[in-house]
Amino acid sequence: MNELLNKASGGHTGVQYLLNLGQFLMQLKDDGGTMDDGTMSRSAVAKRIASEFKQFENVQNMFWNQAVQKMQKAPEECVKDMNAKSILDDGEVLLDEGDLKNGLGSFWDHYNEMLNQSLDRQIQLEDIVSKCLEEVAMLRKRHNVGGDVLDPLSIKESLPRLLAHVFVHYSITATGDEFMSFLATNRLDSKGLDMQALLGGIKTPHNIQVLAILRFFGFGERSDRKNILPNQLVQVETGGGKSLILGAAATVFAMLGFDVRDACYSDYLSSRDAKDFHPTFSDFQVAPRIKYSKITTFSEDMVAAKGDVRSLTLELFAGKSLKSKVVASQVDVSKNQILLVDEVDVFMGPEFVAKTHDQVARLQHPGARKVLENLWQRREEAQTLQAADKLCFDVKTGEAYKNLVKSFKTFEVVIESQVRMMCVDLHDYMQKTHPMPEFNPVQGCVGYKVQDRIDCDAVFGYKSAFAYLEDQKKLNKTEAKMNEALSMLVPCGQFSYTKIHPRHIFGVSGTVEQLQPFQRQEVKKHGLHVFTTMPSVYGQSKFRFLEQADAIKVVPAANFFQEIALATQEKVKEKRAIIVFFESHRLLEEFRRSQFFAKLPSPEILVEGLSYDDKANIIKKAANTGQITLATAPFGRGSDFVSYDDKLQERGGVHVLQTFPSADASEEVQFQGRTARQGKKGSYSLILREEDVQQKLGLAADILHDGQGKGYQKMKSARAQKSAERFASLTSDLQEAHEKDVLSHALLDALVAGDRKKATDAYLDFYKTWMQSHVATSARSAAHHYVICLDDSGSMSYGQKFEAAQRAVEDFATQAALKNQGTSSAMSLVIFDHDARVVCNQTPLDQHASCTNAITYQGGGTEFSRPLNHSMQLVRGNKDKYDKQFILFYTDGEAAFPQAEADLMKRFRDTGENLEFFAVAENRAPALDLICKALYPWSPLSDHCLSQVSPEEISGAMQETLRRMNMAFVQA
């Protein structure tokens, strides 16, 4: 088909033929055929061809522009409907509407003049570029700017004209030479052609896109703020052309001398957008100054501008002399940097806020490879963590390990701990502990799922090495590649994402208003004080959700896949298109293996491991009549499911089915934005498992008993609460990320300066902190059992002590749940006085409220042996179920030393079982001190027993204890 269309496209005759054929296909009437048997009607097939093949792109533009022109508001109305708000409290910020109107009017005057001159063949594409570059050179000379940047505010009156040059160039190149030539030839003598409709085939920006860019350049600022170019956030509706806004803005900023980074969370979207604007970047000679990438790559490049921390660290380990280099400060790196952020809510989400970009070097050494190969040969011995520890001990007595240590004696602590991690990762690999490496068929390598792809550069310990050892024949790796895969990992940096401070940040998103208070605070730290909401270019939304009868379903897990299949079949019978989003590839694969998948007619599968072209093709045809698309969650953001199918619109448009609850409001808005795009009709629904509603939202399975409207409001409230709790836990993480960043830069500065002594000391300081953060990560990936003993003796009734202790337990459980997300961790609660009672037994942490809500005061004497006896029964009965178990004991009093229970705990630990004991007491409790001394004779008493803790300090003491529990996980 593609070959035939290419043959038909040559010359003006070919353009005319394809235009006629494309319009015929797009307008073909339904022949009344049925799709109940999985076949498609002629009109559906015709529209699919017209929307999938690039030869009909001008026809697609025509239909899109015709639809937009019907809804396009006058420039004055667009400006009037813009709203600027404070990022912190949504307070109104006044805009200079006259400034925006003048800027927009100037843009359109220059744009239309140049486009008409091009169509009249008065100017060529090269003329448009050369005139623009000549003006930039003249502005540089006038403002006496050499190699530095032109301040956009100093040339503000010229910016609409420069932007017009960029957009005219984009319009011409994106539309195509043959079509533009066809228009120019028939412009004066149309020969009966509808020239107005044909001009709609040109890719043209709309008012909202231009105004958004003008806000980046300071248009609309009131007189008191006009002397400073402020960072800006702009909210543009989904389907509003955010990529076009960023591409055009990047071109102008680069011409002014800035280095521009367009950062996104997705490789697929970055590649798509960079490809779309590349001809414009190239012709305007700014391609070297503009880079599209993921946010993680931007962070790494900012660090790399100072020096290659990986290669320098390997030189340090190898004992080579470090070549002294000039250090580029962070200020030097950032001074001319413009960061354009696509979907700023992701950048300010929990995936990046308070997180670090961890860099790891691969130390290739025969000893490291031999240790990994020895471990793999004995993999059947690593079925439990205890067995893995024993295996690790054996490996450390071998020659391979001894040779490795001998080669890097200065860094023995690194060698020892990394080999220990190899053993733990071998256990995790054999147990298939998440995350597991996957084979990337496109690149023929092993990697991990990162957003919308399998990233072979992603490192999660040594599981990738064991995957290479298991699949050597399948991967067909060379010896050099195997040496790289079987290397020792040397951590060499933890650089904070929040420390990215370019000269300016400009962002676009469809969900700025959904940012949580904590995110807004972080946004403000980056100098973003105001955001502007842009009106819809498409008029009133035609999105449908709760007005549908079955907008939300909560079903048992046993019926989950059946309900998804039934809902999908129903939309196909309605001659609709449906996109079903699954939370993970694993769930989608489980659905594919179910009996219900086979009943779906020709579904497309959109997953991370596909090539760029395969992803693009599936996305392009998803919004056609009768199409079923099953996709993983990353494609719920940014993917442009455009529909050109009028019949599909008559039947209600594309339907989006989400099969899991979103973690926050912005994520849900993004999924909803995959339908009802660009003024089209569309609908959305949820099918949720009962267990997801219970565990992820903390709600009862019968949430819909008062109707789906009230049920949805409960879901939104619960989600907001969960999100607030999640972000609240990041406060301390921010400080930790800052400390890691400082140590990492100190290491890099010493390496670049060539100071071996200073670099060695800096590395060992850094590695100590890295180990602590790895401890926390390892702890979060394991299953924990927290047994809490709470005193409710008579003295606990004084001065609200019991209430304070109860709140402390609730706070502890909340934080423990956040730190153990995605695991089967649980809590048990024992309340004691002169007796003891088990209030809850192994309640999942994400349902901790059902346990803490059962806390009641009873009163009585104080006795320690009974609660500890109950605790040990809970611990011993579940020793094979959890990776680690903890007893946390709180009391305000004293009691006799529980000799039998103390001996029992010691014997249990001495046999290698993973149990840790911690105590918090209002006063000195000698009995508890004795327990801590017996179990931890080598540690300071305060490491495990905190005393002199006032009622007001109980919660803080328990939070500190939780941190120490995470530390104990790896130290054991």
Side-chain angles (χ1 to χ4, degrees):
M1 177 74 76
N2 193 56
E3 186 178 345
L4 286 172
L5 290 172
N6 281 335
K7 288 181 178 179
S9 63
H12 291 172
T13 304
V15 172
Q16 178 70 67
Y17 172 76
L18 288 177
L19 281 171
N20 292 338
L21 177 59
Q23 291 180 80
F24 170 79
L25 293 171
M26 292 294 287
Q27 296 171 336
L28 184 65
K29 299 298 181 183
D30 200 332
D31 59 4
T34 178
M35 292 180 296
D36 292 349
D37 60 353
T39 61
M40 297 177 64
S41 65
R42 291 175 64 245
S43 63
V45 173
K47 289 176 177 60
R48 173 172 289 190
I49 292 171
S51 63
E52 283 187 35
F53 287 91
K54 64 181 181 180
Q55 292 87 350
F56 299 116
E57 190 171 8
N58 300 124
V59 178
Q60 297 166 20
N61 292 338
M62 288 170 56
F63 278 81
W64 185 85
N65 281 328
Q66 288 170 10
V68 170
Q69 287 167 7
K70 293 177 183 177
M71 298 176 281
Q72 180 94 297
K73 295 180 180 179
E76 296 79 9
E77 288 185 70
C78 292
V79 172
K80 184 179 179 181
D81 290 343
M82 292 170 63
N83 291 294
K85 301 177 183 180
S86 164
I87 195 68
L88 287 183
D89 58 10
D90 285 341
E92 182 183 10
V93 176
L94 295 177
L95 291 172
D96 186 337
E97 294 185 4
D99 192 30
L100 286 164
K101 290 176 185 176
N102 291 337
L104 183 61
S106 175
F107 168 84
W108 283 120
D109 287 345
H110 292 295
Y111 177 89
N112 289 327
E113 179 183 4
M114 282 186 286
L115 186 62
N116 285 326
Q117 287 176 340
S118 175
L119 289 171
D120 290 340
R121 294 178 172 169
Q122 297 175 18
I123 58 173
Q124 301 297 316
L125 194 63
E126 297 79 10
D127 300 324
I128 295 170
V129 173
S130 62
K131 286 183 179 180
C132 184
L133 295 178
E134 286 171 8
E135 180 166 1
V136 171
M138 179 195 69
L139 291 169
R140 281 183 169 277
K141 186 175 181 181
R142 180 187 303 168
H143 292 275
N144 196 28
V145 175
D148 210 343
V149 299
L150 264 170
D151 182 1
L153 290 181
S154 67
I155 58 163
K156 185 175 177 181
E157 71 282 355
S158 302
L159 288 170
R161 186 164 56 253
L162 297 180
L163 184 60
H165 281 82
V166 171
F167 265 125
V168 169
H169 181 279
Y170 175 80
S171 293
I172 293 172
T173 55
T175 301
D177 291 340
E178 290 184 346
F179 186 76
M180 293 298 297
S181 177
F182 174 78
L183 290 178
T185 300
N186 291 279
R187 185 172 168 82
L188 297 178
D189 184 9
S190 61
K191 301 175 183 177
L193 297 173
D194 185 349
M195 287 304 300
Q196 192 62 36
L198 290 175
L199 289 172
I202 300 174
K203 278 195 171 181
T204 308
H206 52 66
N207 289 328
I208 303 305
Q209 292 169 323
V210 178
L211 285 167
I213 299 172
L214 292 178
R215 284 295 286 144
F216 288 174
F217 292 127
F219 282 80
E221 295 297 311
R222 306 283 285 187
S223 57
D224 58 334
R225 304 195 304 272
K226 285 189 174 181
N227 60 334
I228 299 174
L229 181 65
N231 294 341
Q232 290 280 355
L233 279 183
V234 177
Q235 178 171 290
V236 179
E237 66 180 330
T238 55
K242 293 188 285 291
S243 60
L244 197 64
I245 293 170
L246 295 176
T251 307
V252 177
F253 276 125
M255 282 194 291
L256 300 184
F258 289 98
D259 294 317
V260 184
R261 178 63 61 108
D262 193 312
C264 181
Y265 62 94
S266 161
D267 268 325
Y268 166 72
L269 296 177
S270 287
S271 300
R272 181 198 68 184
D273 296 345
K275 183 178 178 181
D276 194 29
F277 245 89
H278 180 73
T280 301
F281 296 155
S282 179
D283 286 356
F284 281 93
Q285 302 172 24
V286 295
R289 286 191 173 274
I290 300 172
K291 186 172 181 178
Y292 279 68
S293 74
K294 293 194 304 181
I295 296 166
T296 50
T297 306
F298 176 57
S299 173
E300 176 152 350
D301 289 347
M302 292 286 279
V303 172
K306 294 180 67 175
D308 186 345
V309 69
R310 291 187 178 90
S311 63
L312 288 169
T313 300
L314 292 177
E315 288 177 8
L316 179 69
F317 268 65
K320 297 179 181 178
S321 60
L322 300 173
K323 297 178 182 178
S324 180
K325 300 175 185 177
V326 177
V327 179
S329 71
Q330 205 63 45
V331 174
D332 293 334
V333 172
S334 305
K335 70 175 184 178
N336 293 336
Q337 186 86 50
I338 293 278
L339 174 60
L340 302 178
V341 184
D342 190 353
E343 298 301 353
V344 72
D345 60 297
V346 177
F347 184 44
M348 295 300 165
E351 298 87 354
F352 293 102
V353 171
K355 297 294 190 295
T356 57
H357 180 215
D358 295 359
Q359 300 201 25
V360 176
R362 292 184 176 274
L363 180 60
Q364 296 185 34
H365 188 275
R369 175 168 179 169
K370 190 63 177 177
V371 167
L372 285 165
E373 289 174 338
N374 288 344
L375 285 171
W376 181 248
Q377 289 171 3
R378 300 177 62 180
R379 58 190 177 275
E380 296 302 328
E381 299 176 37
Q383 296 302 319
T384 67
L385 282 173
Q386 291 78 11
D389 285 341
K390 184 179 183 303
L391 175 58
C392 198
F393 178 82
D394 291 346
V395 168
K396 289 179 184 178
T397 63
E399 287 301 314
Y401 176 80
K402 291 177 181 178
N403 290 335
L404 192 58
V405 171
K406 185 177 179 180
S407 299
F408 306 100
K409 186 64 178 176
T410 304
F411 303 100
E412 183 175 357
V413 64
V414 180
I415 306 299
E416 191 279 332
S417 57
Q418 287 298 318
V419 170
R420 182 150 36 96
M421 289 174 191
M422 292 177 188
C423 300
V424 173
D425 286 346
L426 177 62
H427 163 267
D428 289 349
Y429 185 82
M430 297 304 294
Q431 299 300 316
K432 300 191 181 303
T433 304
H434 179 79
M436 283 292 287
E438 296 189 26
F439 178 66
N440 185 329
V442 178
Q443 299 181 37
C445 58
V446 168
Y448 291 86
K449 286 181 182 173
V450 178
Q451 293 294 343
D452 59 355
R453 68 180 185 131
I454 296 175
D455 186 352
C456 291
D457 292 325
V459 176
F460 290 93
Y462 293 92
K463 286 191 280 189
S464 295
F466 296 125
Y468 278 112
L469 286 168
E470 184 174 33
D471 293 327
Q472 288 185 64
K473 293 182 179 179
K474 175 181 177 182
L475 294 165
N476 194 27
K477 287 291 180 184
T478 64
E479 189 66 13
K481 287 291 185 180
M482 286 303 295
N483 282 334
E484 181 182 357
L486 302 181
S487 56
M488 191 178 76
L489 304 178
V490 179
C492 51
Q494 292 181 296
F495 298 95
S496 173
Y497 289 112
T498 58
K499 295 300 178 181
I500 295 174
H501 290 294
R503 180 163 172 173
H504 290 293
I505 297 180
F506 302 100
V508 290
S509 176
T511 55
V512 180
E513 290 177 310
Q514 280 73 36
L515 290 176
Q516 298 292 313
F518 183 92
Q519 292 174 292
R520 292 180 180 233
Q521 290 285 353
E522 288 304 307
V523 166
K524 187 173 181 292
K525 290 178 184 177
H526 285 80
L528 292 152
H529 301 280
V530 175
F531 72 97
T532 306
T533 60
M534 309 300 294
S536 170
V537 69
Y538 307 110
Q540 185 68 34
S541 173
K542 298 173 184 176
F543 174 78
R544 296 175 67 245
F545 176 27
L546 291 176
E547 53 266 58
Q548 302 169 103
D550 291 323
I552 306 173
K553 284 186 175 182
V554 179
V555 301
N559 300 343
F560 183 52
F561 290 155
Q562 182 181 18
E563 290 290 345
I564 292 173
L566 289 173
T568 302
Q569 289 171 317
E570 183 64 28
K571 296 306 172 188
V572 173
K573 287 180 180 179
E574 294 172 6
K575 300 186 178 181
R576 304 271 302 277
I578 181 169
I579 305 168
V580 185
F581 286 106
F582 291 84
E583 186 172 21
S584 66
H585 194 177
R586 177 184 60 80
L587 267 177
L588 195 157
E589 284 301 310
E590 286 181 13
F591 178 67
R592 287 182 72 175
R593 291 193 296 269
S594 73
Q595 59 181 310
F596 306 106
F597 174 80
K599 299 178 180 179
L600 303 182
S602 305
E604 291 284 356
I605 309 298
L606 182 59
V607 294
E608 294 90 334
L610 299 175
S611 68
Y612 173 87
D613 288 339
D614 286 341
K615 292 174 186 174
N617 289 334
I618 293 172
I619 289 170
K620 183 175 284 189
K621 62 186 180 184
N624 285 300
T625 297
Q627 182 62 56
I628 299 169
T629 305
L630 308 179
T632 47
F635 296 97
R637 282 183 178 272
S639 301
D640 201 3
F641 300 102
V642 179
S643 172
Y644 302 99
D645 189 339
D646 291 336
K647 285 297 180 182
L648 179 63
Q649 285 301 298
E650 291 176 12
R651 298 171 187 129
V654 175
H655 183 81
V656 165
L657 171 59
Q658 186 175 338
T659 63
F660 58 94
S662 290
D664 53 52
S666 62
E667 181 183 65
E668 185 173 270
V669 169
Q670 288 291 337
F671 281 108
Q672 293 173 347
R674 297 316 101 200
T675 185
R677 297 172 67 80
Q678 301 174 348
K680 303 292 179 66
K681 293 179 182 178
S683 55
Y684 166 88
S685 65
L686 290 163
I687 294 180
L688 308 175
R689 293 181 296 184
E690 290 178 348
E691 61 192 61
D692 284 343
V693 171
Q694 293 167 336
Q695 296 176 11
K696 297 180 180 179
L697 299 177
L699 297 172
D702 63 347
I703 185 177
L704 301 177
H705 73 278
D706 289 331
Q708 59 185 18
K710 291 183 179 179
Y712 182 62
Q713 289 303 316
K714 291 178 182 177
M715 288 172 57
K716 288 173 63 178
S717 298
R719 181 177 61 200
Q721 178 62 32
K722 292 281 187 182
S723 183
E725 291 172 359
R726 187 168 67 251
F727 280 110
S729 71
L730 295 179
T731 304
S732 61
D733 293 344
L734 273 171
Q735 180 58 33
E736 291 180 16
H738 170 71
E739 293 169 359
K740 296 172 187 175
D741 188 80
V742 170
L743 288 170
S744 299
H745 278 289
L747 168 61
L748 180 54
D749 291 344
L751 289 168
V752 174
D755 189 330
R756 168 167 290 280
K757 173 66 169 62
K758 191 174 181 180
T760 299
D761 293 343
Y763 184 85
L764 294 174
D765 287 343
F766 157 77
Y767 192 77
K768 180 179 178 181
T769 301
W770 183 89
M771 275 297 297
Q772 292 174 352
S773 65
H774 183 81
V775 164
T777 303
S778 299
R780 280 195 291 268
S781 66
H784 294 166
H785 181 204
Y786 300 90
V787 182
I788 302 174
C789 298
L790 177 61
D791 186 347
D792 79 336
S793 60
S795 58
M796 286 292 293
S797 65
Y798 302 154
Q800 304 291 310
K801 277 199 288 187
F802 187 77
E803 289 79 2
Q806 181 177 0
R807 286 193 299 273
V809 172
E810 291 170 351
D811 292 343
F812 178 92
T814 297
Q815 293 303 311
L818 290 170
K819 291 180 181 297
N820 288 272
Q821 291 183 56
T823 72
S824 55
S825 297
M827 69 175 289
S828 298
L829 181 60
V830 181
I831 299 181
F832 69 95
D833 37 65
H834 59 275
D835 200 351
R837 60 192 187 277
V838 177
V839 174
C840 59
N841 182 353
Q842 300 179 80
T843 299
L845 276 178
D846 50 17
Q847 301 174 38
H848 63 82
S850 64
C851 180
T852 55
N853 288 342
I855 298 176
T856 57
Y857 177 74
Q858 184 168 294
T862 305
E863 207 264 350
F864 291 169
S865 13
R866 291 180 186 273
L868 288 175
N869 187 279
H870 282 310
S871 298
M872 285 306 298
Q873 288 182 37
L874 292 168
V875 167
R876 294 172 72 191
N878 297 287
K879 65 178 183 178
D880 296 326
K881 185 174 180 180
Y882 300 102
D883 298 301
K884 196 79 172 181
Q885 299 193 77
F886 304 93
I887 296 176
L888 172 56
F889 198 96
Y890 174 77
T891 183
D892 75 334
E894 176 54 83
F897 178 60
Q899 183 72 59
E901 287 71 28
D903 290 343
L904 180 59
M905 282 191 282
K906 189 172 188 307
R907 288 197 303 272
F908 190 76
R909 283 174 49 81
D910 288 346
T911 60
E913 298 297 341
N914 284 319
L915 170 66
E916 301 294 336
F917 177 82
F918 292 87
V920 177
E922 180 178 358
N923 304 299
R924 175 66 66 187
L928 298 179
D929 290 351
L930 287 172
I931 294 176
C932 289
K933 288 177 181 178
L935 298 179
Y936 311 101
W938 59 85
S939 298
L941 185 63
S942 59
D943 280 1
H944 285 263
C945 283
L946 297 177
S947 58
Q948 307 300 323
V949 177
S950 69
E952 295 78 16
E953 297 170 329
I954 302 172
S955 183
M958 287 194 175
Q959 297 300 309
E960 172 61 19
T961 300
L962 179 61
R963 187 187 71 80
R964 295 182 184 187
M965 288 175 175
N966 286 339
M967 289 295 297
F969 177 78
V970 168
Q971 289 173 347

